[in-house]
Amino acid sequence: MSDPSVVHSTAAASAAEPTSAASPKYAEVAVPVHVSRTFTYLLPRAISHDAKPGARLVVPLHSKLVTGYIVALLDDIQSEPTLAETAIKEAVELLDRVPLVTPEVLAITRWISDYYGSPWGEVIKAALPPGISATMERLIVLTGQGYDQMETLAASAPALSNILRLIGDHGEISPERLAKEAGKTQTSRLIRELERDGLVQTIHRPRQLPIRTRHQRAIRLLEVDQAALAAQKLTSAQRRIIGELNNERTMPLKNLLAEANVSLSSVNTLEKRGIVELFEEPVRRDPILAREIPPAEEHTLTEAQTSVLESIEKPLREGIYRTFLLHGVTGSGKTEVYMRAMRVALQLGRSAMMLVPEIALTPVFSRRLRANFGDLVAIFHSSLSKGERFDEWTRVRSGEARIVIGTRSGVFAPVRNLGLVIIDEEHEATYRQQDSPVYNGRDTAIVRAQQESAVVLLGSATPSLETFHNAHIKKYEHLQLTDRIGNRPFARARIIDMRKVVAQYGRPRVFSDALLERIAETHQKKEQSIILLNRRGYSSAVLCRTCGETVQCPNCDVTLTYHRSMRTIVCHYCNHNQPAPSRCPSCEGEYIYYIGEGTEQIEEMLKAQFPTIRIARIDRDTTAHRRSFEKTLADFGAGQIDMLVGTQMLAKGHDFPNVTLVGVVSVDAGLVLPDFRAAEKTFQLITQVAGRAGRGNQPGQVLIQTYHPEHYAVRHAAAQDYAGFYEQEIRYRKHHSYPPFVVLGLLLLHGTDLGRLKSEGNDLRKALDAANTERLCRILGPAPAPLARLKGEHRYQLLVKARTRKHLRQVIDNALAEVASLGISRRSINLEIDPVSVM
């Protein structure tokens, strides 16, 4: 089995030098458990010389062994602040002679741990490909006494004797497998009894990696004297083999057998004669099929693009850190600027990293990058198989790949000599990792670039308020692309007041007449359309018309969404699902009514209204498999689909020249969310999806249906007026003390006992008030979270506002230390620094 810790050992070894010539005595270790501290362990002499920061180390923690990561080596521990008062334990085993974690990744994971309060070990584990962090498995082995007693117990205790025999047959065996083979329900009790009597013992060892380098059989033509070769009597099959290899020299065996139309026996004969050689070679699991890569295209830059690129090139060539906001309208050619900047970085011998907010966007960009940069491009995102992610990570770590494209986790790629970091659609909330370890991919990428003297390019048509404010105060350099390529006009936008539609028909309607008319006209002209509704499923709620009850999720304070295609009702937060009811669960009433539309219902209604239009849907229900999503987009691009119906997944990054109509069915749900960023998110969504129309030679149009036509987010989005929206929104933020004028910390308490949760919330508030001695923070709460129950747990939250991050963390850290002394578990409190949502 291939060990990833020894891949390209020469290059990796030079990246992590020991701290001193003498072997260190101690290692500071981060373990992947939910604790805020690191631990110090004594290094046995057998491994101390090979131990290096970034390597995995098996260490005892409480009563079990865990795999941790060395973050520092120590010669002395007298001043070490993390030591417990108990005796220092000894490390058990060093798993890597060459560290898995590079110094650059170790530095950025430490920053994440310090800044966001995420456990350092969990962050390091998240930075590595899944499956590469070995887990410990428990094994049962016989002692010498156990071997001696095996036969003795056969008569008096056959069950115990059978257990001993099974263990002896295997040499070592896991308790689970032993119980299965023994067929006894009391196996655990029997093992404890044998262990107590000294007949067996428990050992722990790292579980084998579930992923490894894949190999295939290959064949090569050896250097053979041509005269001697001609003298040999070769069959026609053998001559075909040599003919194929004369062209390729080396090729996969299966390819040779197919192309030469020969059997393996002919190959074996040639191998025995010393004419060819069979061998094993590593095979890359490539996430992109060769046939999917388009031909490279050369574009002539506009004057504006050239000016922007020159600004980026200067710090790139100087090798200094700089952050740019590339504020370019939709269709202005930001992607071409990205490509040219990457080319400059490569020419300078440096590497580049590009982050995108959605997995959905990686096929679009990765194929274009591969068309221009070939195998220098590696892909990082969670939809890849474990094997694909392992191979891509290995290629980057070795320096074989020098351009990385991925979602937020791509920020951990072990890129060597990083020179350029591009964050596309930098405003997107999906750059935020919500589960532990918490971090923001965009902000982390900026800090990593600063640590490695790289240039940052933040691209967006609708920058976040914080980013634009940083450009406004000159913290970032502001670059603009104000015109579309070819001076194509912006799509004409029209706001449709759905209140007037209700007044006209006496009831709500999903589609206005104007939208239906534009769809028919677009189809008649053989042009394409996109219809957006940012709510998946068929209906958003199930209502009983007899008693008025809605069907709620048993785990969360939300209604269940009806999915007609599966005949189920589903919670989009915890994934609870159950069959759609035919009667009301509360009153047994028969009159079940489905209210609120989702993308599934919109698709069905449009297919009924326009039977000749070829319609496809894109949302998280239809894109569970990445290939299905990519095929739908490819078919739409090829003109085999006339209309796409979907959620915000359609709103950004896609370039379809034949799309001339975008219909926004409703954005009102987003406007009324209890979130200070609700207006900003709505403006961004409308502006981004509007940018999908009119990107070709035909003008585009956008119809926005809303019950809030006067809202400034809707008005400015329809006018593609970012400056106007920013001026109005920034006044609101300043007046109500929200970012970018303050920094936020969100403390979310969660648990199944509501009474205890309320008590702990009050204790935490008292601790925050006590820590806020200088009154430099404003503390709100505790109060039920907008989603007061989620995945079976109640949720209370406190919001802390401060002018500086220093004061924010000082107050929060002191308060958390105080409540910990009261016995409140840190596991029941989630801390979010700079939350993107307060829901």
Side-chain angles (χ1 to χ4, degrees), residues 477-505:
E477 188 169 336
H478 191 194
L479 305 175
Q480 290 184 279
L481 294 172
T482 57
D483 299 311
R484 282 184 156 187
I485 295 295
N487 291 318
R488 295 187 180 100
F490 293 109
R492 291 180 290 106
R494 175 183 170 189
I495 299 174
I496 299 174
D497 188 346
M498 295 302 286
R499 297 172 302 185
K500 294 180 180 179
V501 175
V502 172
Q504 178 183 352
Y505 288 95

Side-chain angles (χ1 to χ4, degrees), residues 744-796:
L744 300 181
L746 184 68
L747 292 152
L748 181 72
L749 295 96
H750 55 94
T752 55
D753 187 333
L754 181 59
R756 180 176 178 179
L757 199 65
K758 289 180 178 179
S759 174
E760 290 180 351
N762 291 330
D763 289 339
L764 180 55
R765 174 59 194 258
K766 292 175 184 176
L768 287 167
D769 286 337
N772 190 26
T773 53
E774 300 179 32
R775 299 295 180 261
L776 295 172
C777 295
R778 185 183 177 196
I779 303 164
L780 305 174
L787 279 173
R789 194 166 62 97
L790 189 67
K791 299 179 181 179
E793 290 190 323
H794 300 284
R795 292 153 38 101
Y796 264 69

Side-chain angles (χ1 to χ4, degrees), residues 779-815:
I779 303 164
L780 305 174
L787 279 173
R789 194 166 62 97
L790 189 67
K791 299 179 181 179
E793 290 190 323
H794 300 284
R795 292 153 38 101
Y796 264 69
Q797 67 182 33
L798 298 97
L799 188 66
V800 184
K801 297 181 177 183
R803 294 291 176 186
T804 68
R805 286 182 174 83
K806 179 182 177 182
H807 292 133
L808 180 79
R809 286 304 301 268
Q810 183 179 346
V811 168
I812 290 177
D813 291 347
N814 289 341

Side-chain angles (χ1 to χ4, degrees), residues 288 292 294 356 358-369 379 381 405 626-627 629-630 633 654:
I288 301 180
E292 297 173 341
V356 294
E358 297 266 7
I359 291 174
L361 294 179
T362 50
V364 178
F365 285 114
S366 58
R367 287 173 186 157
R368 188 167 176 184
L369 289 174
I379 302 166
H381 61 72
I405 177 170
R626 80 171 193 264
R627 294 293 181 192
F629 171 75
E630 293 171 16
L633 289 182
H654 306 297

Side-chain angles (χ1 to χ4, degrees), residues 124-140:
I124 296 174
K125 184 178 180 180
L128 295 171
I132 206 171
S133 295
T135 56
M136 303 303 299
E137 67 178 333
R138 180 186 170 211
L139 298 170
I140 309 298

Side-chain angles (χ1 to χ4, degrees), residues 540-713:
S540 55
V542 183
L543 174 72
C544 173
R545 288 185 288 180
T546 301
C547 68
E549 289 291 322
T550 56
V551 182
Q552 298 283 121
C553 174
N555 307 315
C556 311
D557 279 345
V558 294
T559 58
L560 294 174
T561 299
Y562 176 47
H563 288 250
R564 186 169 181 174
S565 62
M566 300 180 291
R567 294 288 175 184
T568 57
I569 47 179
V570 179
C571 175
H572 289 163
Y573 289 92
C574 72
N575 290 324
H576 167 83
N577 64 85
Q578 61 191 62
S582 58
R583 290 179 175 271
C584 173
S586 297
C587 72
E588 294 293 321
E590 299 180 3
Y591 301 103
I592 299 296
Y593 184 49
Y594 297 97
I595 58 175
E597 299 80 27
T599 48
E600 188 180 341
Q601 186 175 168
I602 295 295
E603 177 192 24
E604 181 181 285
M605 295 171 70
L606 287 170
K607 283 182 175 178
Q609 183 84 15
F610 303 102
T612 62
I613 295 181
R614 297 167 296 179
I615 301 174
R617 173 165 53 95
I618 284 186
D619 54 30
R620 297 205 181 279
D621 298 318
T622 63
T623 58
H625 193 281
R626 80 171 193 264
R627 294 293 181 192
S628 64
F629 171 75
E630 293 171 16
K631 184 179 185 305
T632 302
L633 289 182
D635 290 347
F636 188 63
Q640 298 171 15
I641 297 171
D642 303 312
M643 176 189 290
L644 286 182
V645 176
T647 58
Q648 53 85 27
M649 296 175 73
L650 291 175
K652 48 193 172 287
H654 306 297
D655 188 359
F656 301 111
N658 198 38
V659 171
T660 58
L661 173 67
V662 167
V664 182
V665 173
S666 175
V667 293
D668 298 327
L671 282 173
V672 297
L673 290 174
D675 185 353
F676 73 91
R677 288 191 171 93
E680 180 183 10
K681 292 175 182 177
T682 300
F683 171 82
Q684 290 165 343
L685 179 63
I686 297 174
T687 304
Q688 291 285 342
V689 76
R692 302 312 109 200
R695 298 173 75 96
N697 296 323
Q698 303 301 319
Q701 54 184 331
V702 184
L703 273 64
I704 306 163
Q705 297 185 166
T706 177
Y707 288 92
H708 299 89
E710 71 288 340
H711 196 287
Y712 66 93

